[in-house]
Amino acid sequence: MSIDRRNGQWTSDEMMAVAAARELADGVVCFVGIGLPSTAANVARRMHAPNAVLIYESGCIGSRPDHLPASIGDGVLSETAVANVGVVEIFSYWLQAGRIDVGFLGAAQIDRFANINTTVIGAYDTPKVRLPGAGGAPEIAANCGEVIITLPHSRRAFVEQLDFVTSLGHGAGPGNREQLGLRGRGPSAVISDLCVLRPDPDTKELNLTSVHPGVSVDDVQSATGWELAVADELAITPPPTAEELAVLRELKAAS
Amino acid sequence: MGEFLSLREAVARYVEDGQTLALEGFTHLIPFAAGHEIIRQGRRDLTLVRMTPDLVYDQLIGAGCASKLIFGWGGNPGVGSLHRMRDAVENQFPRPLEVEEHSHAGLAERWRAGAAGLPFGVLRGYVGTSLADHTKTIASISCPFTGEELTAVPAINPDVGIIHAQQADRDGNVMYWGITGVQKECVLASRHSIVTVEEVVDEFAVRTGGVVLPSWAVDAVAVVPGGPHPSYAHDYSDRDNDFYAAWDPIARSRDAFTDWLAGVVEVKP
């Protein structure tokens, strides 16, 4: 549900997309998931990150879509790509070999260490809800230099205990990724429609570092299924600028 | 040899009950018409392999053709769930469906190994996830040279692999371009292969990123214009995103799906 928090000027979904876009630095090579991550990455490319290289798992390298792709295999991704390669190659030569700086993922459920579930709610063999499954996410989460995750906030999504770990974030805490031999550094930010969370450098637990305008710490806590750690210096996310909103809305209108 | 057959003849000749079958195509070039022909011919107990089951497998599963699914991501892209697949997994309707679940990187390696004639593929993957706890075809392996722990996944070698391509020439060579997915691996890994095409041309044009599969690597070629609808064929058709959205209420309701199915079965190609 998109909540209008600023007298009709922008919605919390727009704040989420814009805040996620700001995470993507110019010039990075980014493996983009479909949906929210793709929206954010394309806003970033039109704003502050014109030299970001967007890679989609359908084998499209350096795509510059003029509208938001409806699927990971949208024709606009291949037509505007610098190179098109097969799916075996994109995962093996490009992702696994360590050529990607940032993985940009969505999620159905996330825990305090930014581990992700997109597989099942309930027991695996007798699921309450069967979700789509892994897709490219486990190896994106494992092999990209860092990972940015974006998903709407709710107690159903931000849970104390995942029923299934589809993609590893910081695992059980500090040192876990290194023990498992994972090459990427793991999640660096989680962007929701309420706030920004970042892993504490020591504990690796997600800390609330910034609340979006009009959102209180209590709002975030009541939408989170665990006792939230709050950073000492809590920021307020700058609201979307007129330009950011124009770019986001133009992209959406073209889609 | 890429022998020109009607789609009906090709499916009747190569597809049998109980086989392992793959209809590949990554969002682009999904061979829907071939899936519908398999439904019409009433095949049963199939093990279906696909990276992204998409609507084509939702339809085959809902029609009762499948007893097992090997897959990586089972959603309706940009829309939501595959509700016939969910009904089979959650409620065993219309029949139980065993699932063997992988990541896309893992399945891609399984396809590569299958195409290369190797028993397994190797990757850095699955580590720290719950997938290995539930999927028997994920195993740890040590590199014999460095000792590094890696993940092994077995080759996929279906009985029949089916893809759609834009063109065939008169000798039965086939060519496709745009998003090329794992179709080459699918054809080369499969014991038999069927390729549906938009049209037959006298000569292929040179195309950036174009993939040509030689006639002798393919068993049957069937001319089926529009065969990937509601998926698409680059330079021939656009993805029918409205159909993907319209599929959601059809698949959510067993009755609506049954009505849809009746329409498919009645169509004579």
Side-chain angles (χ1 to χ4, degrees):
Chain A
M1 186 59 148
S2 185
I3 304 155
D4 189 334
R5 290 182 186 276
R6 267 295 173 100
N7 304 322
Q9 288 171 32
W10 44 268
T11 66
S12 56
D13 280 353
E14 288 175 331
M15 181 71 252
M16 172 165 56
V18 165
R22 291 172 187 161
E23 293 294 319
L24 201 66
D26 194 20
V28 300
V29 178
C30 178
F31 209 108
V32 188
I34 207 68
L36 283 175
S38 177
T39 303
N42 280 291
V43 170
R45 202 176 54 75
R46 281 175 165 67
M47 294 288 304
H48 58 278
N51 302 306
V53 177
L54 307 191
I55 295 189
Y56 289 82
E57 69 174 80
S58 43
C60 306
I61 298 178
S63 294
R64 288 162 292 194
D66 56 8
H67 61 267
L68 295 173
S71 74
I72 207 103
D74 197 305
V76 73
L77 296 176
S78 65
E79 281 162 11
T80 62
V82 170
N84 286 286
V85 302
V87 167
V88 172
E89 180 176 331
I90 201 78
F91 281 110
S92 182
Y93 300 173
W94 297 89
L95 177 62
Q96 180 173 267
R99 297 180 210 280
I100 317 288
D101 301 317
V102 178
F104 213 148
L105 295 174
Q109 281 192 331
I110 192 164
D111 70 11
R112 69 177 71 212
F113 291 113
N115 302 300
I116 293 173
N117 175 21
T118 55
T119 303
V120 288
I121 309 291
Y124 185 77
D125 294 320
T126 52
K128 213 162 86 187
V129 181
R130 176 65 237 198
L131 300 167
E139 284 74 25
I140 295 172
N143 292 319
C144 290
E146 63 180 292
V147 179
I148 300 165
I149 301 163
T150 180
L151 76 165
H153 227 113
S154 76
R155 290 186 82 90
R156 285 172 61 195
F158 287 69
V159 297
E160 173 73 36
Q161 179 77 42
L162 295 181
D163 291 325
F164 193 98
V165 178
T166 311
S167 304
L168 198 74
H170 293 288
N176 200 186
R177 288 182 68 91
E178 292 80 356
Q179 284 161 12
L180 292 169
L182 299 183
R183 299 185 154 193
R185 296 185 300 281
S188 56
V190 176
I191 319 296
S192 79
D193 50 348
L194 300 181
C195 66
V196 179
L197 302 146
R198 296 184 197 277
D200 178 271
D202 298 322
T203 68
K204 297 295 180 192
E205 181 175 338
L206 289 175
N207 278 8
L208 178 61
T209 55
S210 182
V211 288
H212 298 339
V215 178
S216 70
V217 173
D218 282 350
D219 291 338
V220 180
Q221 179 61 73
S222 49
T224 304
W226 68 86
E227 199 180 327
L228 203 56
V230 180
D232 294 339
E233 292 186 22
L234 181 65
I236 296 176
T237 315
T241 65
E243 195 189 354
E244 284 171 330
L245 282 176
V247 165
L248 174 61
R249 287 171 183 170
E250 192 184 319
L251 265 175
K252 292 219 157 187
S255 308
Chain B
M1 202 61 206
E3 181 183 3
F4 283 96
L5 297 173
S6 72
L7 178 56
R8 187 191 292 186
E9 288 172 319
V11 169
R13 184 177 303 178
Y14 292 109
V15 182
E16 298 169 13
D17 289 353
Q19 284 180 332
T20 296
L21 211 63
L23 282 67
E24 273 295 1
F26 202 92
T27 306
H28 178 218
L29 295 176
I30 300 174
F32 270 89
H36 296 167
E37 183 58 31
I38 291 163
I39 292 174
R40 272 193 290 278
Q41 294 194 15
R43 296 282 69 82
R44 289 291 178 268
D45 292 317
L46 300 172
T47 293
L48 297 176
V49 185
R50 240 185 94 75
M51 310 249 314
T52 63
D54 204 274
L55 307 194
V56 67
Y57 279 9
D58 213 31
Q59 295 167 353
L60 282 155
I61 290 164
C65 300
S67 56
K68 182 175 177 183
L69 174 67
I70 300 174
F71 77 108
W73 189 85
N76 180 343
V79 178
S81 289
L82 294 177
H83 290 283
R84 290 297 89 220
M85 172 188 156
R86 277 184 59 174
D87 206 10
V89 172
E90 294 170 11
N91 308 309
Q92 294 77 51
F93 183 89
R95 50 172 303 168
L97 183 72
E98 185 188 343
V99 296
E100 181 178 324
E101 190 160 4
H102 280 266
S103 68
H104 280 171
L107 276 182
E109 263 329 291
R110 297 189 66 182
W111 274 127
R112 168 154 64 185
L118 289 169
F120 67 90
V122 175
L123 73 157
R124 290 197 181 92
Y126 301 102
V127 173
T129 75
S130 306
L131 283 160
D133 301 336
H134 298 280
T135 301
K136 291 193 183 79
T137 47
I138 299 170
S140 186
I141 188 171
S142 296
C143 170
F145 306 106
T146 64
E148 183 180 357
E149 284 293 310
L150 299 163
T151 300
V153 287
I156 297 174
N157 293 105
D159 295 298
V160 186
I162 304 177
I163 68 166
H164 185 83
Q166 280 97 335
Q167 296 176 344
D169 69 13
R170 300 198 186 279
D171 296 326
N173 302 300
V174 300
M175 182 172 187
Y176 57 93
W177 60 91
I179 288 170
T180 53
V182 290
Q183 287 97 299
K184 181 193 279 185
E185 288 79 10
C186 173
V187 164
L188 296 181
S190 298
R191 194 158 58 85
H192 294 293
S193 58
I194 300 170
V195 183
T196 58
V197 297
E198 291 291 327
E199 64 170 338
V200 178
V201 296
D202 291 327
E203 204 170 335
F204 294 139
V206 175
R207 287 177 200 276
T208 308
V211 177
V212 175
L213 296 174
S215 175
W216 55 269
V218 170
D219 287 293
V221 178
V223 181
V224 187
H229 181 266
S231 169
Y232 69 104
H234 203 120
D235 291 332
Y236 285 80
S237 57
D238 292 324
R239 188 171 186 266
D240 188 349
N241 293 324
D242 292 343
F243 186 94
Y244 276 82
W247 182 251
D248 190 74
I250 295 171
R252 277 177 190 273
S253 152
R254 291 177 184 177
D255 289 341
F257 176 77
T258 303
D259 291 344
W260 175 86
L261 195 57
V264 168
V265 174
E266 276 173 12
V267 174
K268 299 292 181 225

